Amino acid sequence: MVTVGDREVRITHPDRVLYPARGRSGAVTKADVIDYYRGIAQVLLPHAQLRPVTRKRWPRGVGEESFFEKQLPSSAPAWIDRCTLVHRTHRTTYPLADSEAALAWFGQQAALELHAPQWRHDRPDPGSDAPDTPGAFLADRLVFDLDPGEQTGLADCARVATAIRDLTESNGLTCHPVTSGSKGIHLYVALDRPVVSNDAVDAARQVADEIAGRHPCTVTTTMRKSERHGKVFIDWSQNNGAKTTVAPYSLRGRDRPTVAAPRTWDEIEDPALRQLTFDEVLRRVDEQGDLLAGLVRGPARPSK
């Protein structure tokens, strides 16, 4: 058992290697993952607050099979905060990332990636028998996932990111960049007032189509991979109420322990831009705080 705040988290197989290839510092164990999530909790939690967490788990490490898990298992500690979404044919109970102890438990489960929607679950009665309609969830932010196609890379994503920044800022909104920890870049835009997810999808698609229209040779909004060769794909669809994006500061299940890391625009425009690992991100937070702090707003409430 490990004491985290006022909670006891049962840790098993702490020496199990989850990332075999770390580099000079050696492999990364489950204990290292738990230490990271505890160390990053102060800045991660505000961005995951009240958002149902879908976990992507690698129980035997990133070299083995992984799976997504939405339903909170019956073995989960009773103190894990949760919410239940009722759909047309079933209901799913998700955990909420509301504490350092919850993040430690995710690490114990080898849930390397934490995925969350762009809306927050602050309904008065989450256990209602009325079906939830994904399009009616209240989004408090937009997200753009910039994914490089064949023959493109992170530098190409960075150029598209600056174009989206310029367009959104011309409309009075602030765009926050995050290197995804995988291949591309995520851009978050805080909304002044929450909007239903269907409207968020429409707004994000308009921005994406505008950028693709200006740069048809290098940018696409088409999901078909055959259309993405030599182009950066702007995925606007993750604003759909039924979809999720890997959370800021989440680890990624790659060969190395990279992180979805908030960045400055100077870094995005630097030709040497690369993905960051968890130890680098912890040091940056110690030195710079949360570069994504401007994304956090108050409780989501519908506009009248």
Side-chain angles (χ1 to χ4, degrees):
M1 288 287 186
V2 173
T3 301
V4 184
D6 60 352
R7 305 296 186 187
E8 295 289 330
V9 182
R10 181 171 179 266
I11 306 298
T12 60
H13 308 293
D15 296 329
R16 176 167 291 164
V17 173
L18 298 183
Y19 293 92
R22 179 177 178 178
R24 295 179 180 178
S25 301
V28 174
T29 66
K30 181 191 287 189
D32 294 325
V33 167
I34 293 170
D35 286 346
Y36 169 73
Y37 274 125
R38 294 189 63 185
I40 207 68
Q42 183 176 359
V43 292
L44 186 157
L45 291 173
H47 301 294
Q49 183 183 24
L50 293 173
R51 301 181 198 273
V53 178
T54 296
R55 291 87 63 216
K56 190 172 184 182
R57 296 175 56 188
W58 279 263
R60 297 288 176 180
V62 295
E64 303 294 334
E65 291 186 3
S66 63
F67 61 94
F68 280 98
E69 185 174 53
K70 296 184 177 183
Q71 176 67 40
L72 185 68
S74 59
S75 59
W79 48 260
I80 293 284
D81 201 4
R82 61 200 72 195
C83 68
T84 299
L85 300 184
V86 183
H87 306 287
R88 287 184 175 85
T89 60
H90 66 284
R91 63 171 61 203
T92 303
T93 298
Y94 295 81
L96 298 175
D98 66 341
S99 67
E100 180 183 332
L103 295 181
W105 182 77
F106 293 154
Q108 156 61 21
Q109 296 291 300
L112 303 181
E113 293 188 2
L114 310 178
H115 294 248
Q118 308 317 312
W119 49 269
R120 306 200 316 184
H121 190 278
D122 39 10
R123 286 175 176 72
D125 183 15
S128 169
D129 288 332
D132 285 319
T133 304
F137 290 129
L138 290 172
D140 60 348
R141 64 193 188 194
L142 301 181
V143 66
F144 300 91
D145 181 1
L146 310 185
D147 186 14
E150 292 184 17
Q151 304 301 313
T152 60
L154 193 58
D156 300 285
C157 291
R159 284 187 284 272
V160 177
T162 58
I164 293 176
R165 175 199 63 190
D166 294 344
L167 179 57
T168 55
E169 289 188 350
S170 71
N171 289 297
L173 298 171
T174 301
C175 199
H176 304 271
V178 174
T179 45
S180 70
S182 180
K183 296 183 296 181
I185 292 173
H186 296 159
L187 298 176
Y188 288 92
V189 178
L191 298 175
D192 293 332
R193 292 181 296 179
V195 300
V196 294
S197 289
N198 284 345
D199 290 344
V201 169
D202 291 342
R205 185 164 192 173
Q206 288 177 15
V207 171
D209 286 344
E210 175 71 18
I211 298 299
R214 294 180 185 181
H215 308 278
C217 295
T218 56
V219 179
T220 183
T221 59
T222 301
M223 294 190 182
R224 292 190 303 275
K225 290 194 174 181
S226 61
E227 301 292 327
R228 291 157 60 177
H229 182 86
K231 297 181 179 181
V232 172
F233 169 50
I234 304 177
D235 187 353
W236 45 267
S237 70
Q238 292 179 31
N239 296 281
N240 184 301
K243 292 191 175 184
T244 61
T245 304
V246 70
Y249 296 107
S250 171
L251 285 162
R252 302 305 305 266
R254 310 291 290 180
D255 290 341
R256 299 184 306 126
T258 50
V259 170
R263 310 299 290 267
T264 67
W265 280 108
D266 284 344
E267 289 178 309
I268 295 296
E269 295 171 352
D270 186 339
L273 179 69
R274 61 178 177 80
Q275 305 291 344
L276 299 178
T277 57
F278 75 140
D279 45 357
E280 293 175 304
V281 171
L282 285 170
R283 286 197 298 270
R284 286 164 60 90
V285 169
D286 284 343
E287 296 168 358
Q288 303 172 326
D290 182 13
L291 293 177
L292 208 57
L295 185 65
V296 178
R297 300 296 175 90
R301 293 289 182 266
S303 55
K304 296 181 180 179

